Amino acid sequence: MPTEDPSPIDYRPSTLPGRHLPHVWLTHSESGTAETPVSTLDLVSTTSFTLFTDAAGAEGWRAAAAAQAWPVRLIVVSDDDREWAEVRDVGAGGAILVRPDRKVAWRSATRPADPAEALTGALQAILGGGFALDDDPAEPFLERIRNAAGLLVRRPRTGERGEEDVSEDVEQTDEAIRRLGRLDACAVSDALDTLELPGATTGIRALWAAPERVVGRARTVTAGRRQSDGPADHIAASAIDAAGVGDVLVIANGGRLDVSCFGGLLTLAASTRGLAGVVIDGACRDIAESEELEFPVFGRAVVPVSARGRVVQIAMGEPVFFADVTVTQGDYVIADSNGVVFVPASRIDDVLELAERIVEREAGMAEAVRAGQPVAEVMHDSRFPTVQAVAR
C-alpha cells in the first residue's frame, strides 16, 4: 500500500463566491477567548444566511443584518484569530455571506458606505430578484431555498384583507433530501432494482473529481438541433434563472459527444444561484471553471466544441429521456462517484426506506468481515438475508 497519495489534491482555501467556506478553528469571539475552539463551518446556520465580519465591520454589518426581511445571522470574528485573517480574502470591515449549505454566496472586500443597501442588493441577486425593495420578500425567499436540506424559515400568513396577522415557523418539509444525502447512488440503485423501478443510469460520471455527492430535485432541460431559423433559447439559461437553491439541472442532449451543451458562464450562473450541480446526457466544456467554482458537473465527456449554431434548448420543465430513463421535473437526483440515479418523486418514501435498510444490512456484513468471518459466509443470504420490499 502506498504511503502517500500519488495524486494529492491541490486545495487552496478561498472565500470566492461559489466556493465552500474554509474550515478554520476560531478561538476568540466578541466576548473574549472561547473555552473550546469552534469551526467556522459549525457557525454557519442551517436556517438562514450567515454573515462573517470583523470588529471593524461589526457595527455596520450588524445593523445591515437586522434591517433585512430575510434571516441573516451575524458572526464577528476577533482580530486575534490570525488563521482566519489569512484565508478570508477580504479587508478590514469587509464581510462574507454564506449560504446554509456552507457555500460562499457573496462578499464585500471592504465595508461599503451603506452596508444595509449592499447586503439587500446581494440578497436580491442571490434569491433571484424579480421584486422591488418594498415588496414582501418572504415568498421569493421561500421559493429560492425550498430545496435546501434542513432549512427553517419564517412564512408570513395573511388575513382575508391581506394584512399580515401572524407568522409561523415552517420547517422545510423535504426531509427526503436530507435522507437521500446520507445514502449513495449504489444503495439507491439497489432499492430501485428491488422495487422494479427504472432510475439508474450508465455512462454518466463526474467530469471533475467533485468532493461531494449531489442530491436535489430535478430541473429539466431538453437540448437538440435547431428546428427553425427563428430565435432560440440558449440551453439551460432560463432554467437556471428559474431554479431554486439545491435544484439539480438535468440536461438531456441524447448522449451527443460531438458538441457541448454546458459551459463556463452557465456554471457561474448556476453556482451563484445555489444549484447543487448539473447532470448531462452529453458533453460539456470549460470544466476547469467548474472545478475552480467547485460546481459538480456529471456527464459523458468534455469537449471544446461550442453549442452555438449546433444545438439549442427545445424545452424546459417537461419530462426528459435521459440515458434511457424518463425524468420528470421535481424527481429526485443523487449523483456521486458511482454515477447518477433518479428517483420518481411519487416513490421517494418507498425507495428511501428500502435503501436505508440495504445500507444497514451492508454495514453489518462489513463489520462481520472486519471481525474475521469468511466473506463467503458473510455474503450468504442465510446470514444476512437480502432486503425485501415491504408490501403496502
Side-chain angles (χ1 to χ4, degrees):
M1 178 179 296
T3 58
E4 296 183 0
D5 184 349
S7 55
I9 297 174
D10 184 15
Y11 171 69
R12 296 180 179 88
S14 172
T15 61
L16 185 72
R19 300 289 294 270
H20 286 276
L21 179 72
H23 155 69
V24 173
W25 288 112
L26 301 179
T27 56
H28 295 77
S29 68
E30 289 181 283
S31 58
T33 302
E35 293 183 2
T36 305
V38 60
S39 170
T40 49
L41 302 181
D42 291 332
L43 292 173
V44 175
S45 172
T46 60
T47 65
S48 67
F49 288 97
T50 302
L51 188 68
F52 286 82
T53 189
D54 58 9
E59 182 178 354
W61 291 114
R62 181 178 289 108
Q68 303 305 314
W70 304 276
V72 179
R73 179 186 186 186
L74 183 72
I75 301 295
V76 179
V77 181
S78 169
D79 294 336
D80 292 328
D81 280 301
R82 301 298 183 187
E83 186 180 354
W84 171 248
E86 292 175 1
V87 302
R88 67 186 183 183
D89 291 339
V90 299
I96 300 164
L97 187 67
V98 182
R99 303 183 331 215
D101 62 358
R102 298 175 175 174
K103 285 190 175 181
V104 177
W106 170 83
R107 66 183 183 182
S108 178
T110 59
R111 175 180 167 175
D114 188 340
E117 181 180 7
L119 184 57
T120 298
L123 286 167
Q124 282 191 308
I126 294 163
L127 300 176
F131 50 92
L133 288 175
D134 58 353
D135 286 341
D136 175 10
E139 201 62 32
F141 178 76
L142 289 169
E143 288 301 311
R144 286 293 165 195
I145 67 172
R146 69 185 185 279
N147 288 325
L151 300 188
L152 183 68
V153 297
R154 187 168 293 278
R155 179 193 299 272
R157 276 200 315 221
T158 56
E160 293 180 359
R161 298 183 304 278
E163 308 95 339
E164 182 179 318
D165 55 12
V166 66
S167 60
E168 60 179 343
D169 284 337
V170 180
E171 188 168 5
Q172 165 58 260
T173 58
D174 206 348
E175 170 68 13
I177 293 290
R178 271 199 295 258
R179 293 171 65 189
L180 191 61
R182 292 193 288 265
L183 300 169
D184 64 17
C186 292
V188 177
S189 176
D190 290 350
L192 289 168
D193 280 347
T194 302
L195 293 167
E196 298 183 348
L197 294 173
T201 67
T202 57
I204 311 294
R205 59 182 179 84
L207 296 180
W208 67 272
E212 60 187 24
R213 71 174 53 90
V214 172
V215 296
R217 306 294 292 270
R219 177 72 61 166
T220 59
V221 173
T222 300
R225 299 183 186 278
R226 182 184 291 271
Q227 298 175 340
S228 71
D229 294 332
D233 291 334
H234 192 288
I235 298 171
S238 52
I240 291 172
D241 287 340
V245 171
D247 283 350
V248 178
L249 194 61
V250 178
I251 304 177
N253 193 28
R256 287 186 63 177
L257 304 181
D258 60 333
V259 61
S260 166
C261 60
F262 192 83
L265 285 177
L266 292 176
T267 292
L268 178 60
S271 177
T272 302
R273 286 288 190 190
L275 275 71
V278 59
V279 296
I280 306 164
D281 188 9
C284 80
R285 69 181 200 164
D286 301 323
I287 197 64
E289 296 177 37
S290 301
E291 184 170 7
E292 172 65 22
L293 289 172
E294 296 185 355
F295 185 75
V297 179
F298 291 75
R300 294 189 182 275
V302 178
V303 300
V305 183
S306 169
R308 190 176 301 277
R310 297 180 175 90
V311 291
V312 297
Q313 179 170 297
I314 304 299
M316 71 173 239
E318 299 180 1
V320 299
F321 193 60
F322 185 107
D324 296 329
V325 175
T326 298
V327 183
T328 299
Q329 183 148 298
D331 283 350
Y332 289 82
V333 187
I334 179 168
D336 59 21
S337 57
N338 299 296
V340 177
V341 179
F342 300 100
V343 181
S346 61
R347 300 299 303 274
I348 186 64
D349 290 336
D350 295 333
V351 172
L352 287 173
E353 188 274 335
L354 191 56
E356 288 164 349
R357 289 197 287 128
I358 289 170
V359 169
E360 183 179 0
R361 171 183 181 261
E362 292 185 350
M365 296 171 71
E367 187 61 31
V369 170
R370 292 190 190 97
Q373 298 182 25
V375 68
E377 293 182 9
V378 170
M379 296 189 71
H380 199 283
D381 285 348
S382 62
R383 283 292 314 279
F384 293 90
T386 301
V387 175
Q388 302 292 335
V390 176
R392 297 185 182 275

